[in-house]
Amino acid sequence: MLISKVLRSGCSWSQLLYTLTKRNASLSALNSVSTCCTIVQQQSRLPYGLPIQCMHKAQYCLQNVRYLASSSSSDSNANLKEEDTQIQSPVGGVAINRNRRDWQVSFRDFIASRQSPQWQIEDWDYVAEKMPLPNGPSWEVLCMHTLYQDKSLALGHSLMKYLELKGKSPSHITSTFFVGLLGATSASSDQDDETKAFFDRLLSQTDVLDPASIEVLCHGLSHTKYYKECMKLAQMCKETSNVSPSVLMNMLIASVRFKDLAFCESTLAMLEEENVEPTQMASFIPKVIEVYLSSSSEQACAAVMDFCRKHSLLLPLRRTEDVIDAFYRLQPDKWRIQASYVHHRTGRCVNCQHQMEKIEVTDAEFEALQQAFLKQVIVGSNIFYKSTPEEVSHFVKFVEKTGPYDVVIDGLNVLHRQKRPKQPDVLYKAVRHFHDQGKKVLLLGTKVLTRNISAFKNFSPRPIIYMTSTTKADDSFFLYAALQSGKDTLIVSQDKLRDHKFLMDPKLRHLFQQWLKTVQIYDWFYSRYGEFTIGRRHLHSIGPTRDEAGWHIPLNDIDKDYPFGHAKVLCVRDVTVATKIITKSDNSNRRPLSADGITNDRKRPRINYGKKKPANNKSVQQPEQINLDELMQ
């Protein structure tokens, strides 16, 4: 019973395992993660098989539980007390108001124990007299908050009628949760009108609303035909604080639900103005798709997806099943969904052969990026924490004198980021690769590279070398050198360079990210002959994008081994349209397709690391150097 209450209270894994250790199981019983998860399933009646992320959490928390249990065995006063107001997570998390959570559990148990869903005055009298929370919010606030979370509209109406019969005016917070409850459960025009009436009554009682109340109200109003009131609430929120991403996303979803393109564009503009990090929107992509499939709002959904593509938003892997479920549940027998990837050379989806757009930055956009980077990153106050004004001024003059460059190499990054055992001549091979193609190279580093410079004395012309006083500013310096050299100047570095994006104006961040994708070489290796070789370069957008036969939704498959991702996508094909497209198109130069537009050959093409050594002792012909211009095309 206790475990069930702890689970329903929304506690963390640490608290759950702590409760198991102290109340239900001995320390010896929790000798493995599998045993621990089995006990959790038995005590809480969870379905068979816990998610893999829960297993990882259990493994981490179990170590803390063992330490806590062993340290508390010698202390008789370390037992968990029922009268404690707060409980601290064994892992060191934020303190949780335990009494308030326990109160919600008790209130839900009381609701479940009632025989009739229609509550009488005596029922609410019992809650008001027997279930007040000492030193906490009033009982009606806690009740309405719980009903809002559970979307229990009938009990919400009953509570408001009870307060009216008792002659007690509902508090501001109670009314806020009731408006949110009315809107979130609205299924008719009459309920929309009722929501608007209570909302107007609430605004007549106060001139200023706190951000938390605005978030609840926007969540409710976004489900009604009065969704445009959310814009007024967002403007009200801007007077006291920043607009919450949740508020903006509720507004975007409302624009898709009610097919309002103008409202959608206004919300997207506000999202950029409010300096909200767009990556926070990625988790809402499944909800946008679900609403789109329900309402068939092509234009508003396309505007949202264009914004996601503009800012390179990727769908989190944990939300992939939500997207797949939305397509199959709302429009069954229409879609076929498969995991695929965009080929790094052709820019085509290997599953359906759809051609993705190439990433491009116009001359006007690049010029704006040049000027902004010098003012906001180099001359801005942030750089002086890493360097000195004298060094910055000297480097700017150095670039003006020796530039422009064709290639800028992060020397320390090339030297220290080798997958194989470190070789002393790796930097020499990287510079020679571009030097043999007639490229003008700038090698940037610190005095650590001094012993590697002598290898370039036979180069003609010699690469230009600049050494900074510290490693903290080299990233800013080689980015500036590349920007001042031209739109096509290449950058050789495996750093993700995200810190510099956030130092720029929010309106230019996506341009900086797009430009970086077109010029950065982050995937290189040394062939079997020891030659510096460029690997994959993803120069095409991977979505999200809509075409005649379906969708391509990019997945966030970034991990420690592939910090730039694999360019994986969800290939969503309309089976009723794919066959028509195949019959009209010329497939003579394409890989074989099945009847539903899916490729039969799904093998990933191998990378040629060099020719095999012949059996005899004849001289081995070195592999040809990769033509960088052809590779970029």
Side-chain angles (χ1 to χ4, degrees):
M1 182 63 183
L2 177 63
I3 301 300
S4 177
K5 291 178 66 177
V6 174
L7 280 172
R8 291 175 57 184
S9 65
C11 73
S12 64
W13 263 88
S14 304
Q15 291 176 323
L16 176 60
L17 296 179
Y18 177 84
T19 306
L20 279 172
T21 305
K22 301 297 291 185
R23 302 295 184 85
N24 289 66
S26 62
L27 185 62
S28 60
L30 298 178
N31 56 359
S32 67
V33 176
S34 58
T35 305
C36 172
C37 292
T38 302
I39 296 176
V40 173
Q41 287 182 247
Q42 293 173 351
Q43 296 291 339
S44 57
R45 298 179 182 178
L46 292 175
Y48 179 76
L50 291 175
I52 187 65
Q53 58 266 31
C54 296
M55 300 288 288
H56 293 323
K57 291 180 181 179
Q59 185 175 10
Y60 175 71
C61 296
L62 185 59
Q63 298 174 357
N64 294 276
V65 171
R66 286 174 175 170
Y67 173 79
L68 183 64
S70 61
S71 61
S72 61
S73 59
S74 59
D75 188 1
S76 58
N77 296 326
N79 294 331
L80 190 64
K81 298 181 180 179
E82 294 291 344
E83 63 269 18
D84 288 343
T85 303
Q86 292 182 339
I87 177 173
Q88 188 72 21
S89 170
V91 188
V94 181
I96 300 175
N97 193 325
R98 178 179 175 179
N99 281 349
R100 182 165 179 171
R101 293 184 182 275
D102 287 345
W103 188 96
Q104 286 187 327
V105 172
S106 301
F107 180 59
R108 290 186 174 109
D109 289 341
F110 181 71
I111 294 175
S113 65
R114 309 308 300 161
Q115 298 295 331
S116 174
Q118 301 295 330
W119 280 31
Q120 305 299 324
I121 297 179
E122 294 79 9
D123 298 324
W124 290 113
D125 285 337
Y126 175 83
V127 175
E129 296 175 4
K130 304 295 184 180
M131 300 181 63
L133 184 63
N135 301 323
S138 59
W139 67 271
E140 61 266 23
V141 170
L142 292 173
C143 287
M144 193 62 75
H145 183 206
T146 306
L147 299 177
Y148 166 75
Q149 292 178 331
D150 298 345
K151 295 184 178 181
S152 182
L153 181 60
L155 289 180
H157 275 295
S158 179
L159 176 56
M160 295 297 286
K161 290 180 180 179
Y162 171 80
L163 295 176
E164 184 179 355
L165 289 175
K166 291 295 183 178
K168 185 176 181 180
S169 178
S171 65
H172 161 75
I173 302 178
T174 303
S175 299
T176 298
F177 283 124
F178 183 62
V179 173
L181 174 62
L182 280 174
T185 58
S186 179
S188 63
S189 180
D190 293 339
Q191 189 168 336
D192 289 354
D193 296 336
E194 183 182 8
T195 305
K196 182 64 165 56
F198 275 96
F199 173 69
D200 292 339
R201 187 185 307 174
L202 176 63
L203 290 185
S204 65
Q205 298 173 357
T206 179
D207 296 332
V208 180
L209 294 172
D210 60 279
S213 298
I214 291 176
E215 188 171 339
V216 174
L217 293 173
C218 283
H219 177 255
L221 290 170
S222 65
H223 290 78
T224 69
K225 60 184 179 182
Y226 300 101
Y227 62 93
K228 292 184 179 180
E229 296 293 327
C230 295
M231 185 64 72
K232 299 180 181 179
L233 292 174
Q235 296 294 341
M236 184 185 300
C237 187
K238 290 174 63 176
E239 298 176 358
T240 57
S241 62
N242 295 328
V243 183
S244 168
S246 177
V247 171
L248 295 172
M249 286 311 305
N250 281 320
M251 294 167 61
L252 279 181
I253 293 172
S255 68
V256 177
R257 180 182 290 115
F258 294 98
K259 306 179 182 180
D260 192 338
L261 179 60
F263 188 76
C264 178
E265 293 175 345
S266 301
T267 304
L268 291 174
M270 179 179 291
L271 197 149
E272 290 187 331
E273 292 174 359
E274 286 301 303
N275 197 15
V276 176
E277 173 54 30
T279 53
Q280 300 180 18
M281 292 178 52
S283 298
F284 293 89
I285 293 178
K287 185 62 178 179
V288 173
I289 293 176
E290 180 181 357
V291 175
Y292 155 74
L293 294 174
S294 303
S295 60
S296 299
S297 178
E298 292 282 352
Q299 294 182 335
C301 182
V304 176
M305 291 303 173
D306 288 343
F307 182 87
C308 295
R309 182 170 62 255
K310 172 182 175 182
H311 292 276
S312 302
L313 301 188
L314 305 175
L315 177 67
L317 293 179
R318 67 179 185 277
R319 304 303 306 275
T320 305
E321 291 297 331
D322 298 336
V323 173
I324 297 175
D325 175 72
F327 278 103
Y328 286 154
R329 174 169 46 86
L330 297 176
Q331 295 182 358
D333 302 328
K334 182 180 180 181
W335 303 99
R336 175 162 180 164
I337 304 176
Q338 289 183 319
S340 181
Y341 70 94
V342 177
H343 196 274
H344 64 282
R345 285 202 180 106
T346 63
R348 291 183 179 273
C349 171
V350 299
N351 191 40
C352 66
Q353 298 298 310
H354 174 73
Q355 179 66 58
M356 300 294 181
E357 295 181 0
K358 194 171 183 178
I359 303 174
E360 294 182 350
V361 178
T362 64
D363 295 338
E365 292 172 340
F366 181 74
E367 184 178 354
L369 198 61
Q370 276 183 318
Q371 300 174 359
F373 193 86
L374 176 62
K375 296 178 181 179
Q376 299 172 16
V377 180
I378 297 297
V379 183
S381 59
N382 296 280
I383 190 64
F384 295 137
Y385 290 104
K386 303 176 181 179
S387 182
T388 61
E390 294 78 14
E391 185 179 23
V392 171
S393 177
H394 181 268
F395 182 73
V396 171
K397 294 179 181 178
F398 176 83
V399 173
E400 293 177 355
K401 181 179 179 181
T402 61
Y405 318 106
D406 298 318
V407 182
V408 179
I409 299 179
D410 184 358
L412 292 178
N413 189 274
V414 174
L415 191 62
H416 296 297
R417 299 253 177 135
Q418 302 177 59
K419 296 182 179 179
R420 296 183 179 181
K422 293 184 178 181
Q423 304 173 12
D425 58 346
V426 291
L427 191 58
Y428 168 81
K429 293 178 180 179
V431 175
R432 190 186 66 181
H433 173 84
F434 298 101
H435 179 271
D436 292 346
Q437 298 181 20
K439 305 292 185 181
K440 187 176 181 180
V441 179
L442 169 64
L443 178 61
L444 198 80
T446 62
K447 294 181 179 179
V448 177
L449 302 180
T450 303
R451 60 178 177 266
N452 301 90
I453 295 178
S454 59
F456 305 119
K457 62 183 180 181
N458 295 327
F459 277 47
S460 180
R462 293 185 180 182
I464 302 171
I465 301 174
Y466 188 90
M467 296 185 181
T468 61
S469 60
T470 175
T471 59
K472 296 180 180 179
D474 57 348
D475 290 354
S476 300
F477 282 175
F478 73 70
L479 282 173
Y480 171 77
L483 281 167
Q484 294 301 311
S485 297
K487 186 173 65 173
D488 299 325
T489 299
L490 297 177
I491 297 175
V492 182
S493 177
Q494 290 182 338
D495 288 342
K496 303 192 75 171
L497 307 171
R498 290 175 295 187
D499 295 342
H500 306 281
K501 182 184 76 170
F502 293 108
L503 294 177
M504 302 189 67
D505 185 89
K507 295 181 180 179
L508 295 176
R509 291 176 183 174
H510 71 282
L511 288 179
F512 176 78
Q513 193 170 6
Q514 288 181 358
W515 167 76
L516 205 57
K517 286 182 179 180
T518 62
V519 300
Q520 186 177 7
I521 297 177
Y522 55 81
D523 182 18
W524 70 77
F525 57 92
Y526 295 89
S527 68
R528 59 187 297 179
Y529 304 104
E531 297 295 331
F532 179 88
T533 307
I534 297 175
R536 296 186 178 94
R537 294 189 64 205
H538 294 283
L539 303 177
H540 295 80
S541 172
I542 60 175
T545 182
R546 179 82 158 94
D547 61 89
E548 186 179 354
W551 291 82
H552 286 92
I553 303 173
L555 302 179
N556 189 356
D557 56 354
I558 296 174
D559 53 34
K560 63 179 182 179
D561 295 326
Y562 293 89
F564 293 89
H566 303 262
K568 291 181 180 177
V569 295
L570 273 185
C571 182
V572 185
R573 299 289 90 188
D574 188 342
V575 296
T576 61
V577 179
T579 305
K580 298 179 182 179
I581 295 177
I582 294 171
T583 56
K584 293 180 181 180
S585 61
D586 181 15
N587 297 323
S588 58
N589 296 326
R590 294 188 180 183
R591 295 159 63 192
L593 301 176
S594 59
D596 54 3
I598 308 301
T599 57
N600 295 325
D601 180 16
R602 298 180 186 170
K603 288 187 178 181
R604 191 163 188 161
R606 297 179 180 179
I607 300 176
N608 185 8
Y609 289 93
K611 298 181 181 180
K612 294 183 178 180
K613 186 176 181 180
N616 53 19
N617 295 328
K618 295 182 179 180
S619 60
V620 180
Q621 184 179 0
Q622 296 290 338
E624 297 180 358
Q625 294 289 336
I626 295 178
N627 190 315
L628 195 60
D629 295 332
E630 293 181 0
L631 182 62
M632 292 183 63
Q633 293 175 359

